[in-house]
Every structure is written in C-alpha cells, then in structure tokens.
Amino acid sequence: MELDTKSKVPKYVQIQNWLYEMIRLGRTKRGDKLPTEEELAKMFHVNRMTVRQAIDSFVMQKMLVRQAGRGTFLVNDKPKDYVYELDNIQSFTDKMESMGITPSTQTYESDVIEATDEIASILQLGTDRRVIYLWRAKLAEGEPVLIQRHYLPYKKFEGLLDMDINMSLYHLLVEEFNVNLHHSTQTFGASLASEDDQKIFGIDGPFCCMVLESVIYDENNIPIELLYSSYRGDKYRFKVHSGQYIFQK
C-alpha cells in the first residue's frame, strides 16, 4: 500500500487516517488485534518509528491498548480523549471527521469591533483597527469540548459575516478568501473556565481548561488570525513532537 509522498500531509497522519477509516467501516472492530508495527511498516513502505508515531495517537485517545507479548488491540471505536498535536495548523472539523465523529459549531457572537492595543499589535493592523470577532463553541457528537474566540482583520475579511460561519472557518478562509494558512505560533497554559464557558460546557463550578493562544500567518508572514481556544481539561491532551537534543557545553 502506497502513501502519497507528494502530499503535505505527514506520512504518520496518512496512516492514522487509514486506520480511522478502517475502524469507521467496521473492518477493524473492538477486540481485533492490529498488525504489528513491523508489518504495518512493510505495508506502507515506511520505517517503524513512523508507524509508532501513528499508533501513539490512538493509544493516547484510549482507542488502542498495547499488551506486552500479545500485541496492540482496538478497545474503543471512538476516542475517550481528544489529542491536539502541536505540529501543524488543525481544523477541528477535519480532525473530528477523520475520526468518524460528527462535528458541529454553535456561534454565540459575531460582530465587528475595535481591537484593543494588544490585539491590534499582534495582528499588525495599522490605522484601521476594526476586527471581526467570533465567539464559538465546537461540539463533538453534540457535546461542547472547545470554545474559540477569533479575531480577524476586518479590512481583509469584511465579507465573512455574510457567510455561514457555523462550518469550518479555515475552509472559508482558504476557499472563499484564497488565504494560505502557512504557519502559526502557539502558546498554551492552564486556566480556570470563566462563568460563561462553564455554562457552555454544562459544568457547574470552576474546572481547568487548557488555553491556547494561536496566531496564524500567511506565506508573507502577515498575521491572518488571532485565536484564543479553551479546551476542556477532561477531554483533551496535547501532544508535542520534539527534535533531537542538542548538548550545549
């Protein structure tokens, strides 16, 4: 089986998508034993570490379990936890659909506002400080798991509010505005959910969220979007791919 070597999608993600599809179609069922990492590596013509990277995501989501001396088994056909991987710009819609999960969006506010000094500086707005502000919840199978607050330059995206924003925003930016979501900077930490977010998540009282600040740039290093995301701490894990250790004397 050949992977698309010309695709921008990493090989391990292509293997993940294949396995998600096998599970969705029922060709791999709960209790089934997966081929070994060596067998999958030969099947996809990749090294074993690429396969392991693909499998690790399913283990983190508690869909697969590795049993010493026996192999790797499918124990859940849907994730118990969602994994956000800090190695590329992700669309919630694309991610959920690739896992066979139905995504949806609930918009609570959409407006044109004047940017604060901080937001204007991050987005490098210049004299026109108007931004499109979107406050949305992302749902997986009807359950709110992520709250997003978007800020986008009004001058570039003034037609956005006339469109259906209860779909993938990144699809709109790429297809309707011909934007290249080239790269991003992402900073994350932990915070207690605000009262508004508690109501959306349907949880009484304070609880912990992972908060991600993301700035997306185009190929010319121009800021496209500032996004604040609050992930339910009991639903999400974050995965970082690190490079080689560099020893400094």
Side-chain angles (χ1 to χ4, degrees):
M1 187 175 297
E2 296 289 339
L3 299 178
D4 185 355
T5 57
K6 295 182 180 180
S7 173
K8 294 182 180 179
V9 179
K11 292 180 180 179
Y12 79 92
V13 175
Q14 293 186 52
I15 297 172
Q16 288 175 351
N17 292 341
W18 170 83
L19 187 49
Y20 279 127
E21 189 66 7
M22 292 289 285
I23 295 169
R24 186 185 71 82
L25 294 173
R27 297 184 183 182
T28 301
K29 299 179 181 179
R30 277 187 283 183
D32 286 354
K33 179 181 177 181
L34 267 64
T36 66
E37 290 179 1
E38 292 85 352
E39 290 169 341
L40 288 171
K42 289 180 181 178
M43 181 189 305
F44 289 105
H45 307 289
V46 297
N47 62 53
R48 182 176 170 183
M49 292 307 298
T50 300
V51 172
R52 171 155 291 195
Q53 190 176 6
I55 297 296
D56 282 347
S57 180
F58 289 90
V59 173
M60 289 182 68
Q61 293 172 88
K62 301 177 183 176
M63 295 176 68
L64 294 178
V65 171
R66 292 186 175 105
Q67 297 183 5
R70 295 192 61 211
T72 302
F73 295 84
L74 181 69
V75 292
N76 291 297
D77 54 14
K78 295 288 177 67
K80 294 297 183 182
D81 291 326
Y82 305 116
V83 177
Y84 186 96
E85 299 185 71
L86 291 159
D87 61 348
N88 64 293
I89 297 170
Q90 290 192 9
S91 161
F92 176 87
T93 299
D94 292 343
K95 183 69 173 179
M96 292 299 110
E97 287 180 346
S98 74
M99 294 187 292
I101 296 170
T102 303
S104 56
T105 302
Q106 176 67 53
T107 300
Y108 292 94
E109 188 173 348
S110 59
D111 205 352
V112 179
I113 64 172
E114 188 82 3
T116 64
D117 290 344
E118 179 182 9
I119 292 171
S121 176
I122 292 172
L123 291 176
Q124 302 173 20
L125 292 179
T127 56
D128 188 347
R129 292 167 56 121
R130 290 175 298 171
V131 293
I132 292 175
Y133 170 64
L134 304 176
W135 174 24
R136 311 191 305 167
K138 307 298 281 188
L139 294 77
E141 303 289 5
E143 180 182 28
V145 294
L146 165 63
I147 297 170
Q148 298 177 321
R149 292 172 172 86
H150 307 257
Y151 299 88
L152 302 104
Y154 173 76
K155 191 171 182 178
K156 187 173 183 64
F157 301 109
E158 59 180 293
L160 184 62
L161 296 183
D162 296 325
M163 300 177 183
D164 179 10
I165 55 173
N166 284 326
M167 59 176 292
S168 170
L169 177 62
Y170 292 165
H171 287 190
L172 286 177
L173 297 185
V174 171
E175 295 174 353
E176 301 296 334
F177 294 93
N178 198 30
V179 170
N180 180 5
L181 305 178
H182 188 268
H183 63 281
S184 69
T185 59
Q186 302 181 79
T187 306
F188 65 98
S191 178
L192 291 178
S194 67
E195 290 186 5
D196 286 337
D197 288 359
Q198 289 175 36
K199 291 178 183 177
I200 292 172
F201 285 134
I203 299 177
D204 293 328
F207 68 98
C208 191
C209 289
M210 292 300 296
V211 179
L212 183 70
E213 176 188 309
S214 176
V215 183
I216 295 182
Y217 300 85
D218 67 13
E219 69 276 16
N220 297 313
N221 213 37
I222 304 299
I224 295 297
E225 177 201 42
L226 168 63
L227 171 63
Y228 295 102
S229 302
S230 295
Y231 295 82
R232 274 186 57 166
D234 61 337
K235 291 292 183 180
Y236 266 94
R237 298 193 202 185
F238 287 73
K239 183 177 180 180
V240 181
H241 300 279
S242 300
Q244 181 180 358
Y245 169 71
I246 299 175
F247 177 66
Q248 297 181 346
K249 295 183 179 180

